[in-house]
Amino acid sequence: MPFMNRLSLTLCALALAAFVLPGRYAAAGERNGGRPTVGLVLSGGGAKGIAHVGVIKVLEEAGIRVDYIAGTSMGGIVGALYAIGYDAATLEKLALTMDWQDMLSDTISHRDMSLQEKIHDGRYAFSFPLRGGRISLPRGFTSGQKLMKELTRLTLPVHDTRDFSRFAVPFLCVATDIETGRAKIFNRGYLPDALRASMAIPSVFTPVEIDGRLYVDGGVVLNFPVSEARKMGADIIIGVDVQAPLYKKDQLDSLAKIMEQSVYFLGEMSNEKERRLCDILITPDIAGFDASSFENPAELIRRGEAAARALLPQLLTLAKMAPRPKDAKYRTPPEKKDEHYITHVRVRGLKNVSRSLVKGALALNTPVVVTTEQIEKALDRVYGTMFFERVDYRLEPDPPGEMLVVRVVEDTTNFFKLGLHYDSDMNAALLLNATFRNIIGEGSKLSFDLNLSENPMVETSYIIQTGIRPGIGAGVTLWYSRFDVYVYENDELIANLDYTTYGGDLMLFTTFSNPFALGVALQKQFILLEKKIAPADWVDGGMDFWNYYVFLMADTLDRVAFTRRGLFAYIEAMKINADPRADETIIYGPVYKYSVQLSAAIPAHRRLTVLLGSYAGTLVGDPVYAPHLFYLGSVYTNQRGIYPFLGLHFMEVSGKNMAVVYGALQVEPWKDIYFSLKANAGNVAERREDLADTEDPLVGYGMSMGMLSALGPLEFTVARGTGRDDLILHVNIGYRF
């Protein structure tokens, strides 16, 4: 801007501040018998609302005392935190350190899932509710579970304050009654509920039910509630509007912009009227940002600060005409209380899920002293059962401590799920799933999987959590699977067999802690091997078995694909009993199969993870039927008894005894883009003592490039084994199942 233009604007602002505003402020002061009251109004706008923090920084610097605050959506959240005592510096720190993408999603850590959910995690790319026997769309992309968790934590000091006028600064926020289309003014109630309703952007967040009414984002009808601040008693209004004018046709070039326009179209009609009610209107330059632009909060804060500084003369005049009383206790920071003495736990909102299941997942024996983090972890375990759309809490006074009120919204019980996958070993596959909850008993899950591919698979499982501590549950699984087996001898392919197995497992388990499970199971197994290409003296064969096994599992991994932190351990001991009716000419004694898998993901840096692990196993007894041997080969496997080994083809080597160690360095140079260097070493032998043979060990190494996409992990791997000249290429697309 030319110098003379800037000078002219500055002189005009000074003139306005010097001659026009003092008269208005003085008149307001006369009506109140002293200083005029100041209202701060913050508009909605999604991510653009972060600019409000920059404005508040300048208001504090200018010495402005705010007497009333009104806001909508993100403006409501920023305004509420300022109203209950957070200062500008704290708000800025929150905005800059918040993982916005994670907080605005419902993605639950693999670690916090219940046992039955961990088993199926990482299989499905898409999930749709089943209502009335038909596939339907969800009410929103996210239920706001993590958003509500954050709001609950930040507002803990005022959980028992129902009247928002009793905050350090009186406050209100706006939501929209989706049934009537009218604005709902929240100036009392439970603050996290009001804020969550005010930011329930249609189609993005599910609506919020409060006192029997259903609410969505207040920006639908009243995005800039200046008139409501006037009603609160504000004489002078400072309005901050971050909602840009409606986009032109050529600007509607993204889904985020189209959804933003759809939500705020009606609200824009009221915005012009509300803007005219402002005494000082601050409009940050948010060009280049939309409602979902959370990736650069620092720039949004800077732009808010710049817009407020442009009106600093007016703000300084206001501060001079309406000074803060020197002896007034103003905006006391919220008292932070990390430990809570919980006297009782009460669960609200249950309809079909048993109370014992919820309390079993909480694992809190009252009375008990817990931290806020421990409460949140307990609720994560409840949410991890996947029976609920949302799980949150509030603390209510219950002398001599507090009562923990756990509030649940039960999820749609039935779902249709879809998984897509391709890899170099199993080729393309489509996985269809139907999941039904609470069909046969409260806390139960019935699941049907159908794998449509060259290697078909069918699985039906039923698991029920009894709610009996410590996490006692039971389950039954029926399965059928068929795939090609390639047999190698001295690195040469000598046969191609059709491997079919089917049977069932009956299981009893206890999840004595969310990451840990101990179980015992009875298994009936049928196996059939048929040759496709094989030496002439090979014959088809089949056997059936009665097996018994016990297992111990520990799983604290944060996710299945491209794991960044956590531990995994699985130990199993199985007794294999061949059914004597299978082949009366052969005497089969019992065979004992022991196996252990250990892995760790250790974050060495924000973008670097060290992956370490090992697996080993041994078979005791004779004779051992070939499918029960330990098999090594390929990058990933999802079949029992088959283990990955870089530098070998799928199931290339086998034996009665096996031991492998592996390691990898996984780098994430850009978000969700990964590069890995991998290596493994080990041995397979007929005798356990031969595993220590170092003359001819198995060694492999390679590198991978991958990314985490909406379909799941995409990964390309190049590997090589010692003693061979060829490279093994492996492609993986989508979640493995």
Side-chain angles (χ1 to χ4, degrees), residues 458-474:
V458 179
E459 181 180 283
T460 300
S461 64
Y462 171 79
I463 296 179
I464 184 168
Q465 290 277 10
T466 65
I468 301 173
R469 298 183 186 181
I472 301 297

Side-chain angles (χ1 to χ4, degrees), residues 487-494 652:
V487 181
Y488 295 84
E489 188 174 285
N490 298 323
D491 297 338
E492 295 292 331
L493 179 64
I494 63 171
E652 183 171 344

Side-chain angles (χ1 to χ4, degrees), residues 13-305:
L14 289 171
L16 185 63
F19 299 107
V20 179
L21 293 178
R24 185 182 301 174
Y25 297 163
E30 290 176 2
R31 290 193 302 270
N32 290 282
R35 59 177 294 280
T37 56
V38 178
L40 175 63
V41 181
L42 307 177
S43 79
K48 294 176 291 185
I50 297 174
H52 293 315
V53 176
V55 173
I56 292 173
K57 287 178 64 178
V58 178
L59 297 184
E60 286 192 352
E61 180 184 318
I64 300 289
R65 169 173 176 162
V66 177
D67 299 284
Y68 303 100
I69 298 176
T72 297
S73 196
M74 181 64 85
I77 292 176
V78 175
L81 297 181
Y82 193 56
I84 66 175
Y86 288 87
D87 60 17
T90 305
L91 292 176
E92 182 175 29
K93 182 179 179 181
L94 285 172
L96 295 177
T97 57
M98 189 83 68
D99 186 341
W100 291 98
Q101 184 175 2
D102 180 67
M103 189 190 70
L104 296 174
S105 75
D106 283 338
T107 304
I108 184 170
S109 171
H110 178 84
R111 172 194 172 94
D112 294 322
M113 292 181 177
S114 60
L115 172 65
Q116 60 266 46
E117 297 304 327
K118 285 179 178 178
I119 293 172
H120 293 98
D121 186 36
R123 287 192 184 186
Y124 314 108
F126 308 101
S127 179
F128 304 94
L130 289 172
R131 296 189 178 97
R134 296 182 179 181
I135 297 174
S136 61
L137 294 176
R139 296 188 302 169
F141 288 125
T142 171
S143 69
Q145 170 69 17
K146 291 185 177 179
L147 174 61
M148 190 64 179
K149 176 180 175 180
E150 191 70 27
L151 293 175
T152 302
R153 181 194 307 122
L154 293 173
T155 61
L156 269 174
V158 296
H159 271 206
D160 59 345
T161 304
R162 296 293 177 261
D163 184 353
F164 298 172
S165 68
R166 296 178 58 194
F167 292 166
V169 180
F171 169 78
L172 67 78
C173 62
V174 183
T176 301
D177 188 317
I178 193 64
E179 185 178 354
T180 65
R182 296 175 182 172
K184 168 64 178 178
I185 308 303
F186 283 104
N187 53 19
R188 62 183 303 107
Y190 182 52
L191 183 58
D193 279 348
L195 297 178
R196 171 65 180 82
S198 183
M199 198 178 170
I201 303 171
S203 299
V204 177
F205 291 105
T206 55
V208 177
E209 184 176 343
I210 301 176
D211 296 332
R213 307 297 298 181
L214 210 57
Y215 298 103
V216 296
D217 195 294
V220 174
V221 292
L222 188 58
N223 195 49
F224 196 29
V226 181
S227 55
E228 295 301 326
R230 289 283 188 201
K231 294 176 185 177
M232 294 175 78
D235 297 313
I236 306 299
I237 298 290
I238 301 173
V240 187
D241 186 9
V242 298
Q243 183 57 37
L246 295 175
Y247 295 112
K248 303 297 183 183
K249 182 178 69 172
D250 58 346
Q251 294 176 308
L252 293 169
D253 53 5
S254 70
L255 176 62
K257 289 182 178 179
I258 292 172
M259 293 185 68
E260 183 181 352
Q261 186 100 323
S262 301
V263 170
Y264 297 117
F265 186 83
L266 291 176
E268 179 62 20
M269 293 189 291
S270 69
N271 269 19
E272 282 302 321
K273 175 184 174 183
E274 299 293 322
R275 290 187 189 103
R276 289 194 292 269
L277 297 177
C278 293
D279 297 291
I280 299 176
L281 177 61
I282 301 173
T283 55
D285 174 15
I286 39 77
F289 291 88
D290 58 42
S292 63
S293 302
F294 287 98
E295 62 276 1
N296 194 355
E299 176 61 18
L300 284 165
I301 293 173
R302 188 195 68 78
R303 293 193 185 190
E305 189 174 348

